Short mmCIF file of all heavy atoms in Angstrom, two decimals:
data_model
loop_
_atom_site.label_atom_id
_atom_site.label_comp_id
_atom_site.label_asym_id
_atom_site.label_seq_id
_atom_site.Cartn_x
_atom_site.Cartn_y
_atom_site.Cartn_z
N PHE A 283 -39.83 -32.81 -4.53
CA PHE A 283 -39.86 -31.45 -5.11
C PHE A 283 -41.27 -30.90 -5.24
O PHE A 283 -41.46 -29.71 -5.44
CB PHE A 283 -39.19 -31.47 -6.50
CG PHE A 283 -39.99 -32.14 -7.58
CD1 PHE A 283 -40.75 -31.40 -8.46
CD2 PHE A 283 -39.98 -33.52 -7.71
CE1 PHE A 283 -41.49 -32.01 -9.47
CE2 PHE A 283 -40.72 -34.15 -8.72
CZ PHE A 283 -41.48 -33.39 -9.59
N LYS A 284 -42.28 -31.78 -5.10
CA LYS A 284 -43.66 -31.34 -5.32
C LYS A 284 -44.09 -30.27 -4.31
O LYS A 284 -45.00 -29.49 -4.58
CB LYS A 284 -44.62 -32.52 -5.21
CG LYS A 284 -44.30 -33.67 -6.13
CD LYS A 284 -44.64 -33.39 -7.56
CE LYS A 284 -44.36 -34.62 -8.42
NZ LYS A 284 -44.66 -34.42 -9.82
N ALA A 306 -54.31 -36.41 -9.67
CA ALA A 306 -53.93 -37.77 -10.06
C ALA A 306 -52.45 -37.84 -9.78
O ALA A 306 -51.75 -36.84 -9.92
CB ALA A 306 -54.19 -37.98 -11.54
N SER A 307 -51.95 -39.02 -9.40
CA SER A 307 -50.55 -39.02 -8.98
C SER A 307 -49.90 -40.38 -9.09
O SER A 307 -50.55 -41.42 -8.97
CB SER A 307 -50.48 -38.54 -7.53
OG SER A 307 -49.15 -38.48 -7.09
N THR A 308 -48.56 -40.34 -9.30
CA THR A 308 -47.77 -41.55 -9.14
C THR A 308 -47.25 -41.61 -7.70
O THR A 308 -46.39 -42.42 -7.39
CB THR A 308 -46.59 -41.58 -10.14
OG1 THR A 308 -45.79 -40.40 -9.95
CG2 THR A 308 -47.08 -41.63 -11.57
N GLY A 309 -47.72 -40.72 -6.84
CA GLY A 309 -47.45 -40.83 -5.41
C GLY A 309 -46.97 -39.56 -4.73
O GLY A 309 -47.49 -39.18 -3.69
N ASN A 310 -45.99 -38.90 -5.32
CA ASN A 310 -45.43 -37.73 -4.62
C ASN A 310 -46.36 -36.52 -4.64
O ASN A 310 -46.47 -35.81 -3.64
CB ASN A 310 -44.08 -37.35 -5.23
CG ASN A 310 -42.99 -38.25 -4.71
OD1 ASN A 310 -43.01 -38.66 -3.55
ND2 ASN A 310 -42.01 -38.56 -5.55
N THR A 311 -47.02 -36.29 -5.76
CA THR A 311 -47.95 -35.16 -5.80
C THR A 311 -49.04 -35.36 -4.76
O THR A 311 -49.43 -34.41 -4.06
CB THR A 311 -48.59 -35.02 -7.20
OG1 THR A 311 -47.54 -34.88 -8.15
CG2 THR A 311 -49.50 -33.83 -7.29
N LYS A 339 -45.28 -43.33 -0.21
CA LYS A 339 -46.09 -42.21 -0.71
C LYS A 339 -47.57 -42.41 -0.38
O LYS A 339 -48.26 -41.47 0.04
CB LYS A 339 -45.91 -42.09 -2.22
CG LYS A 339 -44.45 -41.95 -2.63
CD LYS A 339 -44.27 -41.98 -4.14
CE LYS A 339 -42.79 -42.01 -4.49
NZ LYS A 339 -42.54 -42.02 -5.93
N PHE A 357 -51.36 -43.86 -14.54
CA PHE A 357 -51.39 -42.44 -14.17
C PHE A 357 -52.16 -41.63 -15.21
O PHE A 357 -52.97 -40.77 -14.87
CB PHE A 357 -49.95 -41.89 -14.04
CG PHE A 357 -49.91 -40.39 -13.95
CD1 PHE A 357 -50.11 -39.76 -12.73
CD2 PHE A 357 -49.72 -39.60 -15.09
CE1 PHE A 357 -50.10 -38.36 -12.65
CE2 PHE A 357 -49.72 -38.22 -15.01
CZ PHE A 357 -49.91 -37.60 -13.79
N GLN A 387 -42.57 -24.31 -8.41
CA GLN A 387 -41.53 -25.25 -8.84
C GLN A 387 -40.41 -24.59 -9.64
O GLN A 387 -39.39 -25.24 -9.90
CB GLN A 387 -42.16 -26.40 -9.64
CG GLN A 387 -42.81 -27.42 -8.73
CD GLN A 387 -43.46 -28.59 -9.43
OE1 GLN A 387 -44.45 -29.11 -8.96
NE2 GLN A 387 -42.92 -29.01 -10.56
N PRO A 409 -35.13 -35.33 -14.18
CA PRO A 409 -35.93 -36.48 -14.63
C PRO A 409 -37.20 -35.99 -15.33
O PRO A 409 -37.72 -34.93 -14.99
CB PRO A 409 -36.32 -37.20 -13.33
CG PRO A 409 -35.64 -36.49 -12.22
CD PRO A 409 -35.18 -35.16 -12.71
N GLY A 410 -37.71 -36.78 -16.25
CA GLY A 410 -38.93 -36.39 -16.95
C GLY A 410 -40.03 -37.40 -16.78
O GLY A 410 -39.87 -38.59 -17.10
N GLY A 411 -41.18 -36.95 -16.24
CA GLY A 411 -42.36 -37.80 -16.11
C GLY A 411 -43.51 -37.11 -16.83
O GLY A 411 -43.65 -37.19 -18.05
N ASN A 412 -44.31 -36.34 -16.05
CA ASN A 412 -45.39 -35.57 -16.66
C ASN A 412 -44.85 -34.26 -17.24
O ASN A 412 -45.58 -33.49 -17.85
CB ASN A 412 -46.48 -35.30 -15.61
CG ASN A 412 -47.85 -35.20 -16.21
OD1 ASN A 412 -48.11 -35.73 -17.30
ND2 ASN A 412 -48.74 -34.52 -15.53
N LEU A 413 -43.58 -33.99 -16.97
CA LEU A 413 -42.78 -32.91 -17.56
C LEU A 413 -43.10 -31.51 -17.05
O LEU A 413 -42.73 -30.50 -17.67
CB LEU A 413 -42.83 -32.99 -19.10
CG LEU A 413 -42.25 -34.31 -19.64
CD1 LEU A 413 -42.52 -34.46 -21.13
CD2 LEU A 413 -40.75 -34.40 -19.37
N GLY A 414 -43.75 -31.45 -15.89
CA GLY A 414 -43.99 -30.14 -15.26
C GLY A 414 -42.71 -29.56 -14.67
O GLY A 414 -42.45 -28.36 -14.76
N ASN A 415 -41.88 -30.41 -14.08
CA ASN A 415 -40.70 -29.92 -13.37
C ASN A 415 -39.68 -29.30 -14.31
O ASN A 415 -39.17 -28.20 -14.05
CB ASN A 415 -40.07 -31.07 -12.58
CG ASN A 415 -39.18 -30.58 -11.46
OD1 ASN A 415 -39.41 -29.50 -10.90
ND2 ASN A 415 -38.17 -31.35 -11.13
N ALA A 472 -42.44 -43.30 -10.08
CA ALA A 472 -42.75 -41.86 -10.09
C ALA A 472 -42.84 -41.31 -11.50
O ALA A 472 -43.58 -40.37 -11.77
CB ALA A 472 -41.70 -41.08 -9.30
N ILE A 473 -42.08 -41.91 -12.43
CA ILE A 473 -42.06 -41.39 -13.81
C ILE A 473 -42.66 -42.41 -14.79
O ILE A 473 -42.32 -42.43 -15.96
CB ILE A 473 -40.64 -40.96 -14.24
CG1 ILE A 473 -39.60 -42.05 -13.94
CG2 ILE A 473 -40.25 -39.67 -13.55
CD1 ILE A 473 -38.22 -41.75 -14.52
N ILE A 475 -45.09 -42.71 -16.79
CA ILE A 475 -46.08 -41.85 -17.43
C ILE A 475 -45.89 -41.92 -18.95
O ILE A 475 -44.78 -41.69 -19.45
CB ILE A 475 -45.93 -40.39 -16.93
CG1 ILE A 475 -46.26 -40.33 -15.43
CG2 ILE A 475 -46.80 -39.42 -17.73
CD1 ILE A 475 -46.03 -39.02 -14.77
N GLU A 518 -34.83 -41.37 -4.75
CA GLU A 518 -35.75 -42.29 -5.43
C GLU A 518 -35.14 -42.77 -6.74
O GLU A 518 -34.34 -42.04 -7.34
CB GLU A 518 -37.02 -41.53 -5.80
CG GLU A 518 -38.00 -41.41 -4.71
CD GLU A 518 -39.35 -41.00 -5.26
OE1 GLU A 518 -39.83 -41.60 -6.25
OE2 GLU A 518 -39.92 -40.08 -4.69
N ALA A 520 -36.50 -42.66 -9.57
CA ALA A 520 -36.79 -41.65 -10.61
C ALA A 520 -35.76 -40.53 -10.60
O ALA A 520 -35.46 -39.95 -11.65
CB ALA A 520 -38.19 -41.07 -10.40
N SER A 521 -35.21 -40.23 -9.44
CA SER A 521 -34.20 -39.17 -9.35
C SER A 521 -32.88 -39.62 -9.94
O SER A 521 -32.12 -38.82 -10.50
CB SER A 521 -33.96 -38.77 -7.89
OG SER A 521 -35.17 -38.55 -7.22
N THR A 548 -35.09 -35.59 -7.19
CA THR A 548 -36.47 -35.14 -6.98
C THR A 548 -37.17 -35.72 -5.76
O THR A 548 -38.13 -35.15 -5.27
CB THR A 548 -37.28 -35.48 -8.23
OG1 THR A 548 -36.92 -36.82 -8.63
CG2 THR A 548 -37.00 -34.52 -9.37
N GLY A 549 -36.69 -36.90 -5.30
CA GLY A 549 -37.41 -37.54 -4.19
C GLY A 549 -36.48 -38.25 -3.22
O GLY A 549 -35.37 -38.66 -3.57
N1 F0G B 769 -39.20 -37.54 -9.82
C1 F0G B 769 -40.12 -37.84 -8.89
C2 F0G B 769 -39.65 -38.38 -7.58
C3 F0G B 769 -41.49 -37.65 -9.16
O1 F0G B 769 -42.39 -37.93 -8.24
C4 F0G B 769 -41.88 -37.17 -10.43
C5 F0G B 769 -43.29 -36.98 -10.77
C6 F0G B 769 -40.87 -36.86 -11.35
C7 F0G B 769 -39.55 -37.07 -11.01
C8 F0G B 769 -41.18 -36.32 -12.69
O2 F0G B 769 -41.56 -34.98 -12.62
O3 F0G B 769 -43.77 -35.19 -13.71
O4 F0G B 769 -42.73 -32.97 -13.33
O5 F0G B 769 -41.78 -34.53 -15.02
N2 F0G B 769 -44.26 -37.35 -10.06
C9 F0G B 769 -45.65 -37.03 -10.29
C10 F0G B 769 -46.49 -37.49 -9.13
C11 F0G B 769 -46.16 -37.39 -11.60
O6 F0G B 769 -47.69 -37.74 -9.31
O7 F0G B 769 -46.00 -37.52 -8.01
P1 F0G B 769 -42.53 -34.36 -13.74
#
Side-chain angles (χ1 to χ4, degrees):
F283 72 98
K284 304 287 183 180
S307 182
T308 57
N310 280 325
T311 303
K339 305 174 187 181
F357 168 84
Q387 281 180 212
N412 211 23
L413 298 171
N415 200 30
I473 50 172
I475 295 174
E518 278 195 49
S521 312
T548 44

